[in-house]
Amino acid sequence: MRSARLLPLLTFAALLLGWEALVQIQNIPPYVLPAPTRILVTLREDCALLSAALLVTLKITVLALALATSIGVALAILFAQWSWLERTFFPIAVILQVTPIIAIAPLLLIYLDADTAVLACAFLVAFFPILSNTALGLSSTDHNLRDLFDLYGASPWQQMYLLRLPSALPYFLGGLRIAGGLALIGAIAAEIAAGASGQGAGLAYRIVEAGYRLNIPRMFAALVLISVAGISIWLVLELVTNQLLKRWHDSARDLSR
Amino acid sequence: MSLLSLKQISKTFANGTRALGQLDLSVARGEFISLLGPSGCGKSTALRLIAGLDQTDSGSLTWNEARPDIGFVFQDPTLMPWTNVFDNVYLPLRLKGVTRTEATPKIMDVLTRVGLRDFAQSFPRELSGGMKMRASIARALVLRPALLLMDEPFAALDEITRLKLNRDLLELQAELGMTVIFVTHSVYESAYLSSRICVFSHRPGRIIESIDVGPSGPRDDAFRLTSAYLETCQRASTALQNAMERA
Ligand SMILES: Nc1ncnc2c1ncn2[C@@H]1O[C@H](COP(=O)(O)OP(=O)(O)OP(=O)(O)O)[C@@H](O)[C@H]1O
Ligand SMILES: [Mg+2]
């Protein structure tokens, strides 16, 4: 078990070492390729600027995720109760999903102020996996259990609350984990699109700005922070999923074991 | 006293499968009826019609008085995996609007009867197959139904557990004064449990033979050694064979 965790860490360390060595031996200037140590130094020097930017991006991502979750789940519930609603509105959701966000962003930036547009983009990409997974989950209840609820005369809302929502939980959480990553991507893509208009202050905007100034180490530093943000979101959602499902669902492993 | 009578019931599914044709069955209070028949002859369908989970095409299904509370035990335990045994058993009461405080003594009572008192807080996946089935039976009993419908409830269990649950079931039936309709594939199980065995024909199902076994009530293991029991097995087995050959 231990070596299974050690191996990826060692590989990663070896890669960084190789990178460092390459830059040092070949004397590559930092504006072409900064060494990992140089990136670390930049991270410390630009700490105030970059952490403020990270906070902006994270806030937008989390807010978008929260919006996508509440609206996605609410819509899925309405779709499950009234199928004509689903037939009417699901195609629109699909159209929004298949249109690349990077193509929608500039348009949104015209109609909305930069912050709202970035939020809207992050929301749009995070929304669909939650809606479609939850809708699938709500319609995948065990038919014997449904019969049981019918036998005892359960009302549609009792069925929803006591049967369909709990059985949709694993599906919803699957959608949420996908949406977490997508929300960050959506926010970053929109920030880059907004970057040109120079209003944003998120991480992606810092990357674009540092690019104009040929401040390559800062670009890398911002990139590192974006990765760290993505990994953190993923870890948190993974943890939540495990906590909620570990006692009953096969997909969740009890981490203590 | 009659509880329920089915007259000339037939059922054809949307895909054209004729599951039941001209099913006649009259059920008296306190009876333990086994439905025995070839696979696919419509036994489960008959139970579902009685429970009101499906509609009949023609014929009449009449309750002598108002339709009583019905308990249904499916072939699979059909427990909600996301919650513990207590809440699973609470479900029928909860759907009837009974509060948790009011329900608790009733729930603990049925759990004690099926021997799961100490497992109220366990989740279904922490239970063995037999224990899950007991939980499912507890849930069916918690409303103290006048009629208990069981669809091959013990089919997936080992022989010893099955014999024990059979004995327990008869005791519960006597204690609660229930009427039971029990679907099984096992001639021996039906001969041990029933007061009456109804043998179904091949699809479309109807009853081709009805075997009276004796008054319902608890039976000890010695019952399996009586000549009456062996004779019942013999008759049921012959009837079943006839049903299959006529296919
Ligand atoms: N929902 C359905 N739609 C179409 N056909 C069905 C449906 N349910 C059952 N049938 C058919 O009706 C027939 C009777 O089914 P039923 O489940 O009642 O049989 P059974 O006697 O319980 O069989 P077994 O002993 O194998 O459980 C079968 O041929 C089955 O294929
Ligand atoms: Mg069946």
Coordinates of all heavy atoms in Angstrom, one line a residue, chain A residues 172-234:
Chain A
F172 N -25.7 12.1 -8.3 CA -25.5 13.5 -8.1 C -24.0 13.8 -7.8 O -23.4 14.7 -8.3 CB -26.4 14.0 -7.1 CG -26.0 15.3 -6.4 CD1 -26.1 16.5 -7.2 CD2 -25.4 15.3 -5.2 CE1 -25.6 17.7 -6.6 CE2 -25.0 16.5 -4.6 CZ -25.0 17.7 -5.3
L173 N -23.5 13.0 -6.8 CA -22.1 13.2 -6.4 C -21.1 13.0 -7.5 O -20.1 13.7 -7.6 CB -21.8 12.4 -5.2 CG -22.5 12.8 -3.9 CD1 -22.4 11.7 -2.8 CD2 -22.0 14.1 -3.4
G174 N -21.4 12.0 -8.4 CA -20.6 11.8 -9.6 C -20.6 13.0 -10.4 O -19.5 13.5 -10.9
G175 N -21.8 13.6 -10.6 CA -21.9 14.8 -11.4 C -21.2 16.0 -10.8 O -20.5 16.8 -11.5
L176 N -21.3 16.1 -9.5 CA -20.7 17.2 -8.7 C -19.1 17.2 -8.9 O -18.5 18.2 -9.0 CB -21.0 17.1 -7.3 CG -20.6 18.2 -6.4 CD1 -21.2 19.5 -6.8 CD2 -20.8 17.9 -4.9
R177 N -18.6 16.0 -8.9 CA -17.1 15.9 -9.0 C -16.6 16.3 -10.4 O -15.6 17.0 -10.5 CB -16.6 14.4 -8.7 CG -16.4 14.2 -7.2 CD -15.9 12.9 -6.9 NE -16.9 11.9 -7.3 CZ -16.7 10.6 -7.1 NH1 -15.5 10.1 -6.7 NH2 -17.6 9.7 -7.4
I178 N -17.4 16.0 -11.4 CA -17.1 16.5 -12.7 C -17.3 18.0 -12.8 O -16.4 18.7 -13.3 CB -18.0 15.8 -13.8 CG1 -17.8 14.3 -13.8 CG2 -17.7 16.4 -15.2 CD1 -18.8 13.5 -14.6
A179 N -18.4 18.4 -12.2 CA -18.7 19.9 -12.3 C -17.6 20.7 -11.5 O -17.3 21.8 -12.0 CB -20.1 20.1 -11.6
G180 N -17.1 20.2 -10.5 CA -16.1 20.9 -9.7 C -14.9 21.3 -10.6 O -14.5 22.5 -10.6
G181 N -14.4 20.3 -11.3 CA -13.3 20.6 -12.3 C -13.7 21.5 -13.4 O -13.0 22.5 -13.7
L182 N -14.9 21.3 -13.9 CA -15.4 22.1 -15.0 C -15.6 23.6 -14.6 O -15.3 24.5 -15.4 CB -16.7 21.5 -15.6 CG -16.5 20.3 -16.4 CD1 -17.9 19.8 -16.9 CD2 -15.6 20.5 -17.6
A183 N -16.1 23.8 -13.4 CA -16.3 25.2 -13.0 C -15.0 26.0 -13.0 O -15.0 27.1 -13.4 CB -16.9 25.2 -11.6
L184 N -14.0 25.3 -12.5 CA -12.7 26.0 -12.5 C -12.2 26.3 -14.0 O -11.8 27.4 -14.3 CB -11.6 25.1 -11.8 CG -10.2 25.8 -11.7 CD1 -10.3 27.0 -10.8 CD2 -9.2 24.8 -11.1
I185 N -12.4 25.3 -14.8 CA -12.0 25.5 -16.3 C -12.9 26.7 -16.9 O -12.3 27.5 -17.5 CB -12.2 24.2 -17.1 CG1 -11.2 23.2 -16.6 CG2 -12.1 24.5 -18.6 CD1 -11.4 21.8 -17.2
G186 N -14.2 26.6 -16.6 CA -15.0 27.7 -17.1 C -14.6 29.1 -16.6 O -14.6 30.0 -17.4
A187 N -14.3 29.2 -15.3 CA -13.9 30.4 -14.8 C -12.6 30.9 -15.4 O -12.5 32.1 -15.8 CB -13.7 30.3 -13.3
I188 N -11.6 30.0 -15.6 CA -10.3 30.4 -16.2 C -10.5 30.8 -17.6 O -10.0 31.9 -18.1 CB -9.4 29.2 -16.1 CG1 -9.1 28.8 -14.6 CG2 -8.1 29.4 -16.9 CD1 -8.2 29.8 -13.9
A189 N -11.3 30.0 -18.4 CA -11.5 30.4 -19.8 C -12.2 31.7 -19.9 O -11.7 32.6 -20.7 CB -12.4 29.3 -20.4
A190 N -13.1 32.0 -19.1 CA -13.8 33.3 -19.2 C -12.9 34.4 -18.7 O -12.9 35.5 -19.3 CB -15.1 33.3 -18.3
E191 N -12.1 34.2 -17.7 CA -11.1 35.2 -17.3 C -10.2 35.6 -18.4 O -9.8 36.7 -18.6 CB -10.3 34.7 -16.1 CG -11.1 35.0 -14.8 CD -10.2 34.5 -13.6 OE1 -9.0 34.2 -13.8 OE2 -10.8 34.4 -12.5
I192 N -9.7 34.5 -19.1 CA -8.8 34.8 -20.2 C -9.5 35.6 -21.3 O -8.9 36.6 -21.8 CB -8.3 33.5 -20.8 CG1 -7.3 32.9 -19.8 CG2 -7.6 33.7 -22.2 CD1 -6.6 31.6 -20.2
A193 N -10.7 35.2 -21.6 CA -11.5 36.0 -22.6 C -11.7 37.4 -22.1 O -11.6 38.4 -22.9 CB -12.8 35.3 -22.8
A194 N -11.9 37.6 -20.8 CA -12.2 38.9 -20.3 C -10.8 39.7 -20.1 O -10.8 40.9 -20.1 CB -12.8 38.8 -18.9
G195 N -9.7 38.9 -20.1 CA -8.4 39.5 -19.8 C -8.1 40.7 -20.7 O -7.6 41.7 -20.2
A196 N -8.5 40.6 -22.0 CA -8.2 41.6 -22.9 C -8.9 42.9 -22.5 O -8.3 44.0 -22.7 CB -8.7 41.2 -24.3
S197 N -10.1 42.8 -22.0 CA -10.8 44.0 -21.6 C -10.2 44.6 -20.2 O -10.7 45.6 -19.8 CB -12.3 43.8 -21.5 OG -12.6 42.8 -20.6
G198 N -9.3 43.8 -19.6 CA -8.5 44.3 -18.5 C -9.2 44.6 -17.3 O -8.8 45.4 -16.5
Q199 N -10.4 43.9 -17.0 CA -11.1 44.2 -15.7 C -10.8 43.2 -14.6 O -10.9 43.5 -13.5 CB -12.6 44.3 -16.0 CG -13.0 45.6 -16.7 CD -14.4 45.6 -17.1 OE1 -15.0 44.5 -17.4 NE2 -15.0 46.7 -17.0
G200 N -10.6 41.9 -15.1 CA -10.5 40.9 -14.1 C -9.3 41.0 -13.2 O -8.4 41.8 -13.4
A201 N -9.3 40.2 -12.1 CA -8.2 40.2 -11.2 C -7.9 38.8 -10.8 O -7.1 38.5 -9.9 CB -8.5 41.0 -10.0
G202 N -8.5 37.8 -11.5 CA -8.3 36.4 -11.2 C -7.0 35.9 -11.7 O -6.2 36.6 -12.3
L203 N -6.7 34.6 -11.4 CA -5.4 34.0 -11.8 C -5.2 34.0 -13.3 O -4.1 34.3 -13.7 CB -5.4 32.5 -11.3 CG -4.9 32.3 -9.8 CD1 -5.0 30.9 -9.5 CD2 -3.4 32.8 -9.7
A204 N -6.2 33.7 -14.0 CA -6.0 33.6 -15.5 C -5.6 35.0 -16.0 O -4.8 35.1 -16.9 CB -7.3 33.1 -16.2
Y205 N -6.3 36.0 -15.4 CA -6.0 37.4 -15.9 C -4.5 37.7 -15.6 O -3.8 38.3 -16.4 CB -6.9 38.4 -15.1 CG -6.5 39.8 -15.4 CD1 -6.6 40.4 -16.7 CD2 -5.9 40.5 -14.4 CE1 -6.2 41.7 -16.9 CE2 -5.5 41.8 -14.6 CZ -5.7 42.4 -15.8 OH -5.3 43.7 -16.1
R206 N -4.0 37.2 -14.4 CA -2.6 37.4 -14.1 C -1.7 36.7 -15.1 O -0.6 37.2 -15.4 CB -2.3 36.9 -12.7 CG -3.0 37.7 -11.6 CD -2.5 39.1 -11.5 NE -3.3 40.0 -10.6 CZ -3.5 41.3 -10.8 NH1 -3.0 41.9 -11.8 NH2 -4.2 41.9 -9.9
I207 N -2.1 35.6 -15.5 CA -1.3 34.8 -16.5 C -1.2 35.7 -17.8 O -0.1 35.9 -18.4 CB -1.9 33.4 -16.8 CG1 -1.7 32.5 -15.6 CG2 -1.3 32.8 -18.1 CD1 -2.2 31.1 -15.9
V208 N -2.4 36.1 -18.3 CA -2.4 36.9 -19.5 C -1.5 38.1 -19.4 O -0.7 38.5 -20.2 CB -3.8 37.3 -19.9 CG1 -3.9 38.2 -21.1 CG2 -4.7 36.1 -20.1
E209 N -1.7 38.8 -18.2 CA -1.0 40.0 -18.0 C 0.6 39.8 -17.9 O 1.3 40.5 -18.6 CB -1.4 40.6 -16.6 CG -0.8 41.9 -16.2 CD -1.1 42.2 -14.8 OE1 -0.9 41.3 -13.9 OE2 -1.6 43.3 -14.5
A210 N 0.9 38.7 -17.2 CA 2.4 38.4 -17.1 C 2.9 38.0 -18.5 O 4.1 38.3 -18.8 CB 2.6 37.2 -16.1
G211 N 2.0 37.4 -19.3 CA 2.4 37.1 -20.7 C 2.8 38.3 -21.5 O 3.8 38.3 -22.2
Y212 N 2.0 39.3 -21.4 CA 2.3 40.6 -22.1 C 3.6 41.2 -21.7 O 4.3 41.7 -22.5 CB 1.2 41.6 -21.8 CG -0.1 41.3 -22.5 CD1 -1.4 41.6 -21.9 CD2 -0.1 40.7 -23.8 CE1 -2.5 41.3 -22.6 CE2 -1.3 40.5 -24.5 CZ -2.5 40.8 -23.8 OH -3.7 40.5 -24.5
R213 N 3.9 41.0 -20.4 CA 5.2 41.6 -19.8 C 6.3 40.6 -19.9 O 7.4 40.9 -19.4 CB 5.0 41.9 -18.4 CG 3.9 43.0 -18.2 CD 3.8 43.3 -16.7 NE 2.7 44.2 -16.5 CZ 2.2 44.5 -15.3 NH1 2.8 44.0 -14.2 NH2 1.2 45.3 -15.2
L214 N 6.1 39.5 -20.6 CA 7.1 38.4 -20.7 C 7.7 38.0 -19.4 O 8.9 37.7 -19.2 CB 8.3 38.9 -21.6 CG 8.0 38.8 -23.1 CD1 9.2 39.3 -23.9 CD2 7.7 37.4 -23.5
N215 N 6.8 38.1 -18.3 CA 7.2 37.6 -17.0 C 6.9 36.1 -16.9 O 5.9 35.7 -16.3 CB 6.5 38.4 -15.9 CG 7.0 38.1 -14.5 OD1 7.7 37.1 -14.3 ND2 6.7 39.0 -13.6
I216 N 7.8 35.3 -17.5 CA 7.5 33.9 -17.7 C 7.4 33.2 -16.3 O 6.5 32.4 -16.1 CB 8.5 33.2 -18.6 CG1 8.6 33.9 -19.9 CG2 8.0 31.7 -18.9 CD1 7.4 34.0 -20.7
P217 N 8.3 33.4 -15.4 CA 8.2 32.8 -14.1 C 6.9 33.0 -13.4 O 6.3 32.1 -12.8 CB 9.3 33.4 -13.2 CG 10.3 33.9 -14.3 CD 9.5 34.3 -15.5
R218 N 6.3 34.2 -13.5 CA 5.1 34.5 -12.9 C 3.9 33.7 -13.6 O 3.0 33.2 -12.9 CB 4.7 36.0 -12.9 CG 3.4 36.3 -12.1 CD 3.0 37.7 -12.2 NE 3.9 38.5 -11.3 CZ 3.8 39.9 -11.3 NH1 2.9 40.5 -12.1 NH2 4.5 40.6 -10.6
M219 N 4.0 33.5 -14.9 CA 3.1 32.7 -15.6 C 3.0 31.3 -15.0 O 2.0 30.7 -14.7 CB 3.4 32.7 -17.1 CG 3.1 34.0 -17.8 SD 3.5 33.8 -19.6 CE 2.0 33.1 -20.2
F220 N 4.3 30.8 -14.8 CA 4.3 29.4 -14.3 C 3.8 29.4 -12.9 O 3.1 28.4 -12.5 CB 5.8 28.9 -14.3 CG 6.2 28.2 -15.6 CD1 6.8 28.9 -16.6 CD2 5.9 26.9 -15.7 CE1 7.1 28.2 -17.8 CE2 6.2 26.2 -16.9 CZ 6.8 26.9 -17.9
A221 N 4.1 30.4 -12.1 CA 3.7 30.4 -10.7 C 2.2 30.4 -10.6 O 1.6 29.7 -9.8 CB 4.2 31.6 -10.0
A222 N 1.5 31.2 -11.5 CA 0.1 31.3 -11.5 C -0.5 29.9 -11.9 O -1.5 29.4 -11.4 CB -0.4 32.4 -12.4
L223 N 0.2 29.3 -12.9 CA -0.2 28.0 -13.4 C -0.2 27.0 -12.3 O -1.1 26.1 -12.1 CB 0.7 27.6 -14.5 CG 0.2 26.5 -15.5 CD1 -1.1 27.1 -16.1 CD2 1.2 26.2 -16.5
V224 N 0.9 27.0 -11.5 CA 1.0 26.1 -10.3 C -0.2 26.3 -9.4 O -0.9 25.3 -9.0 CB 2.3 26.3 -9.6 CG1 2.3 25.6 -8.2 CG2 3.5 25.9 -10.4
L225 N -0.5 27.5 -9.1 CA -1.7 27.8 -8.2 C -3.0 27.3 -8.8 O -3.8 26.8 -8.1 CB -1.8 29.3 -7.9 CG -0.7 29.8 -7.0 CD1 -1.0 31.3 -6.7 CD2 -0.7 29.0 -5.7
I226 N -3.2 27.4 -10.1 CA -4.4 26.9 -10.7 C -4.5 25.4 -10.5 O -5.5 24.9 -10.2 CB -4.5 27.3 -12.2 CG1 -4.7 28.8 -12.4 CG2 -5.6 26.5 -12.9 CD1 -4.6 29.3 -13.8
S227 N -3.4 24.7 -10.8 CA -3.4 23.3 -10.6 C -3.7 22.9 -9.1 O -4.5 22.0 -8.9 CB -2.0 22.7 -10.9 OG -1.7 22.9 -12.2
V228 N -3.0 23.6 -8.2 CA -3.3 23.4 -6.8 C -4.8 23.6 -6.5 O -5.4 22.7 -5.8 CB -2.4 24.2 -5.9 CG1 -2.8 24.1 -4.5 CG2 -1.0 23.8 -6.1
A229 N -5.3 24.6 -7.0 CA -6.8 24.9 -6.8 C -7.6 23.7 -7.3 O -8.5 23.2 -6.6 CB -7.2 26.2 -7.5
G230 N -7.3 23.3 -8.5 CA -8.1 22.2 -9.1 C -8.0 20.9 -8.3 O -9.0 20.3 -8.0
I231 N -6.7 20.6 -7.9 CA -6.5 19.4 -7.1 C -7.3 19.5 -5.8 O -7.9 18.6 -5.3 CB -5.0 19.2 -6.8 CG1 -4.3 18.8 -8.1 CG2 -4.8 18.1 -5.8 CD1 -2.8 18.9 -8.1
S232 N -7.3 20.7 -5.1 CA -7.9 20.9 -3.9 C -9.5 20.7 -4.0 O -10.1 20.0 -3.2 CB -7.7 22.3 -3.3 OG -6.4 22.6 -3.4
I233 N -10.0 21.3 -5.1 CA -11.4 21.1 -5.3 C -11.8 19.6 -5.4 O -12.7 19.1 -4.8 CB -11.9 21.8 -6.5 CG1 -11.8 23.4 -6.3 CG2 -13.3 21.5 -7.0 CD1 -12.0 24.2 -7.5
W234 N -11.0 18.9 -6.2 CA -11.2 17.5 -6.4 C -11.1 16.7 -5.1 O -12.0 15.9 -4.8 CB -10.2 17.0 -7.4 CG -10.5 15.6 -7.9 CD1 -11.4 15.2 -8.8 CD2 -9.9 14.4 -7.3 NE1 -11.4 13.8 -8.9 CE2 -10.5 13.3 -8.0 CE3 -8.9 14.1 -6.4 CZ2 -10.1 12.0 -7.8 CZ3 -8.6 12.8 -6.1 CH2 -9.2 11.8 -6.8

